[in-house]
Amino acid sequence: MAGAAVLRALRTLRPRTPDAILVRLPGPVECVLTPASCMLYPPWRTSTVRTLQLCSALCAGHNKWSKVKHIKGPKDEARGRMFMKFGMMIKIAVKDGGSNPDMNVNLAHILEQCRSKNMPKVAVEAAIKSAEKAKPASQHMFEARGPGGCLLLIEVLTDNNTRTHQEIKRLLNKNRGMLSDGARHNFNRRGVVVVPGQNVSTERALELAIEAEAEDVQETEDEEEQPLLQFICDMAEVRKVRASLEELGMQITSAGLEFVPRALSSLDQDQLDAASTLIEALNDCPDVVRVWDNIRADS
């Protein structure tokens, strides 16, 4: 009843057309997650993207920037960097919850993304074995401010905290950024379930979000410029929302946890170019797993 009422109200509204977001990857059998939200880099390109917002608690944010973070240089090099980042994420997941994906939901989500990106099975298995035998490494989150005042979360996995801290600080200082305590408070850790968006109207996307009990749905594009729908939910509800969407006939592209910005920072073209360069440099650092941001491109 309540869902139907919300849907009727939403149908009276016109869908808005805002902008997108950013992220990226590098080393030996290891790579990225994303996307999401969260990692990659770019030549900046404009694209039309709109947010289908159901929950006012989340920032309406779909901006042109989101697509950029999934566009990375020559494809062969990008593929290698992506696999390297996935390997790093596998290490973190195994460290936190063990090597059995049946008992480790986060690892299961990462392995699913590895398969969706065609990461060789032998490489995935090698990454898991390597994670089980790896020497202790520390996982950290650096908080930073970039060009135009945008906020960044830089996730790292390192066996030398001092070295990594110095390198992150050097890259920030070189590219108009700085470490900034408090940036983390502008992000919420949320569950994100991604499905293909081809032939799905705005109204149908809203209906799917309501029926799957997602908090928000956002429209974006992948690195091949194919439309995607991101259903955002509580971290504990990822499996439930995923299962509901599957029952509704949707094919799942990925599902996992991401840092979703509470408010977006608008940048002009010069600032976007500088931010893109900074995030690319950070993702080239071998210890960096992912970079999260709150960037929105001005129209």
Side-chain angles (χ1 to χ4, degrees):
M1 293 291 289
V6 172
L7 180 57
R8 284 196 297 274
L10 288 168
R11 283 173 173 166
T12 66
L13 302 176
R14 293 182 182 178
R16 299 182 298 176
T17 52
D19 318 82
I21 309 182
L22 168 77
V23 198
R24 187 206 137 171
L25 9 145
V29 172
E30 320 192 84
C31 175
V32 142
L33 197 73
T34 137
S37 219
C38 255
M39 95 182 8
L40 290 41
Y41 79 108
W44 168 251
R45 308 198 312 206
T46 57
S47 66
T48 56
V49 217
R50 65 181 181 280
T51 297
L52 315 172
Q53 186 170 356
L54 297 179
C55 177
S56 60
L58 289 179
C59 175
H62 172 109
N63 57 71
K64 300 172 185 175
W65 180 251
S66 76
K67 174 178 160 186
V68 171
K69 60 189 173 189
H70 295 290
I71 302 172
K72 316 185 322 31
K75 291 201 171 183
D76 288 344
E77 179 183 352
R79 180 180 171 87
R81 291 173 184 269
M82 181 176 66
F83 291 166
M84 175 176 139
K85 294 294 184 181
F86 272 128
M88 295 176 75
M89 298 186 72
I90 287 172
K91 283 185 178 181
I92 292 174
V94 170
K95 175 176 175 284
D96 291 341
S99 59
N100 183 353
D102 294 331
M103 304 294 293
N104 186 337
V105 177
N106 191 32
L107 177 61
H109 290 323
I110 294 171
L111 296 182
E112 180 179 49
Q113 291 185 44
C114 291
R115 288 191 292 271
S116 72
K117 296 298 183 181
N118 298 315
M119 184 173 177
K121 183 178 179 181
V122 63
V124 173
E125 293 174 347
I128 294 175
K129 290 180 180 178
S130 173
E132 292 176 321
K133 300 175 182 178
K135 61 182 180 180
S138 300
Q139 181 183 2
H140 294 287
M141 188 74 74
F142 289 98
E143 301 170 86
R145 188 174 296 276
C150 66
L151 301 177
L152 306 174
L153 295 183
I154 307 162
E155 183 179 6
V156 304
L157 183 68
T158 179
D159 57 5
N160 188 320
N161 295 333
T162 300
R163 179 199 67 212
T164 301
H165 180 272
Q166 292 175 344
E167 179 62 8
I168 295 298
K169 187 175 180 180
R170 183 188 71 81
L171 291 171
L172 289 168
N173 291 339
K174 182 180 178 181
N175 294 282
R176 296 166 56 179
M178 66 182 72
L179 292 173
S180 178
D181 290 341
R184 170 68 178 82
H185 299 304
N186 192 62
F187 294 83
N188 288 323
R189 187 73 158 158
R190 312 300 292 164
V192 179
V193 182
V194 181
V195 305
Q198 293 95 331
N199 304 316
V200 180
S201 66
T202 298
E203 183 175 272
R204 181 53 182 156
L206 291 169
E207 291 175 344
L208 288 168
I210 292 171
E211 293 177 43
E213 298 185 15
E215 297 174 356
D216 189 26
V217 56
Q218 299 178 352
E219 199 173 46
T220 186
E221 293 180 341
D222 63 14
E223 61 270 25
E224 302 297 330
E225 300 186 32
Q226 296 301 308
L228 297 174
L229 294 174
Q230 297 177 326
F231 293 87
I232 298 174
C233 61
D234 185 88
M235 291 189 294
E237 300 294 317
V238 175
R239 278 186 168 179
K240 178 181 176 182
V241 171
R242 176 194 173 123
S244 296
L245 289 170
E246 287 178 326
E247 290 175 3
L248 291 166
M250 302 305 294
Q251 177 186 347
I252 306 301
T253 299
S254 67
L257 304 181
E258 298 183 13
F259 282 101
V260 177
R262 300 161 68 99
L264 296 176
S265 179
S266 296
L267 305 183
D268 60 29
Q269 189 61 52
D270 176 68
Q271 293 166 338
L272 282 171
D273 291 340
S276 173
T277 299
L278 169 58
I279 293 169
E280 177 180 346
L282 289 169
N283 278 306
D284 279 337
C285 177
D287 293 337
V288 171
V289 181
R290 285 178 287 188
V291 179
W292 311 86
D293 71 86
N294 73 333
I295 296 172
R296 175 174 59 205
D298 283 338
S299 302

